[in-house]
Amino acid sequence: MPQLSETEVLVDPLQEIGGRLRRVTTAGAIYERLHANIVSLRMPPGMALQEKRIAEDFGVSRTPVREALLRLSESGLVDIYPQSGTVVSRVPVSAIPEAVVVRKALEGTTVETAALTATAADIARLDAIIARQRSHASTGNASGFHEEDEAFHEAIAQISGYPGIWVILKTVKVQIDRARRLTLPVLGRMDNVVHEHIIIREVLAAHDAAAARDAMIHHLSAVIPDVDELRSRYPDYFC
């Protein structure tokens, strides 16, 4: 990992909100790096995290590392055991249905509004994202595919005029994202997602708000049965 100065304040272009760049402290940068690794399963559930090792990797003292781990604990991504250590948390199955309900409510609103406001340029933007998803699906690039999946849903929020909703959802859906990373390698799953995105794109282009909401609700519902199957296949990853 690239080393960071403890006094350094980073500007993270991935955290652009409303055209402004959010300033990120060293502890914040460590948090976001670890957060991304946990959600992508590069750091899988049950993996031990050592403050000393992380501090060495980043070239800082343990203080910003400890702050980052506390934030991750508050986000439900790590479990801190005093006098024992810190581990990446298991995915809480009980939290997923509620997160799906929140996504349906908020993304149902954004896609319905986007259907009323989408321009030809907006549809072209979605087409470009879908094309990249097709490419990643054909090569089995699950990481790239997931990034474009995020881009698709974020684009709809922006088209609707409610970009802040996506910012909220990124926190709400973190456990869903961890589970979904396990579904993407399943044969045919990426193709199914592309097909569902195409349907959403078509009804947006037709400016059919009711159909857009229905298509999004159907799309977001798919994660529930997936999790039931994943829990039996990866029992050590879920609780």
Side-chain angles (χ1 to χ4, degrees):
M1 295 181 182
Q3 293 190 346
L4 303 173
S5 165
E6 287 185 65
T7 59
E8 181 180 7
V9 178
L10 303 179
V11 176
D12 183 352
L14 298 181
Q15 299 297 325
E16 183 174 342
I17 301 175
R20 295 170 298 173
L21 295 180
R22 182 170 64 84
R23 294 174 69 80
V24 183
T25 64
T26 299
I30 295 171
Y31 165 83
E32 291 178 0
R33 192 82 53 79
L34 294 177
H35 185 286
N37 286 340
I38 292 171
V39 172
S40 68
L41 301 184
R42 287 191 291 270
M43 291 180 169
M47 178 179 175
L49 301 178
Q50 299 179 352
E51 284 186 11
K52 180 179 179 181
R53 174 63 183 275
I54 296 172
E56 290 174 350
D57 287 342
F58 280 93
V60 299
S61 73
R62 294 192 185 188
T63 299
V65 174
R66 191 171 295 117
E67 181 181 336
L69 291 176
L70 286 172
R71 285 185 61 191
L72 289 168
S73 176
E74 293 170 355
S75 300
L77 293 177
V78 304
D79 296 319
I80 299 175
Y81 300 101
Q83 310 304 320
S84 179
T86 301
V87 299
V88 177
S89 68
R90 293 185 179 186
V91 179
V93 173
S94 61
I96 292 178
E98 183 177 20
V100 171
V101 168
V102 174
R103 284 200 73 176
K104 287 180 178 179
L106 294 181
E107 293 202 66
T109 297
T110 57
V111 77
E112 192 173 48
T113 304
L116 302 175
T117 61
T119 65
D122 292 329
I123 300 304
R125 177 183 178 186
L126 296 179
D127 286 339
I129 294 171
I130 292 172
R132 291 193 295 271
Q133 280 196 297
R134 283 184 186 274
S135 177
H136 291 312
S138 67
T139 60
N141 182 354
S143 180
F145 186 92
H146 182 78
E147 290 177 6
E148 295 303 334
D149 184 76
E150 295 281 285
F152 182 84
H153 288 268
E154 182 175 15
I156 290 174
Q158 292 173 346
I159 293 168
S160 74
Y162 300 125
I165 286 181
W166 184 248
V167 177
I168 295 170
L169 284 172
K170 286 172 68 176
T171 300
V172 171
K173 69 188 186 68
V174 65
Q175 301 299 352
I176 296 176
D177 289 342
R178 297 173 75 196
R180 288 188 64 249
R181 287 285 185 156
L182 295 170
T183 70
L184 291 180
V186 175
L187 183 64
R189 181 57 189 148
M190 285 191 277
D191 291 333
N192 289 341
V193 171
V194 170
H195 177 68
E196 291 164 5
H197 281 183
I198 290 173
I199 292 174
I200 293 170
R201 178 264 184 220
E202 292 297 325
V203 291
L204 284 174
H207 303 294
D208 190 332
R213 174 180 284 273
D214 289 345
M216 182 63 78
I217 297 302
H218 173 77
H219 175 55
L220 296 177
S221 297
V223 73
I224 297 297
D226 283 343
V227 169
D228 291 337
E229 179 182 351
L230 289 171
R231 190 177 188 182
S232 65
R233 293 176 56 194
Y234 304 94
D236 293 339
Y237 280 15
F238 294 86
C239 62

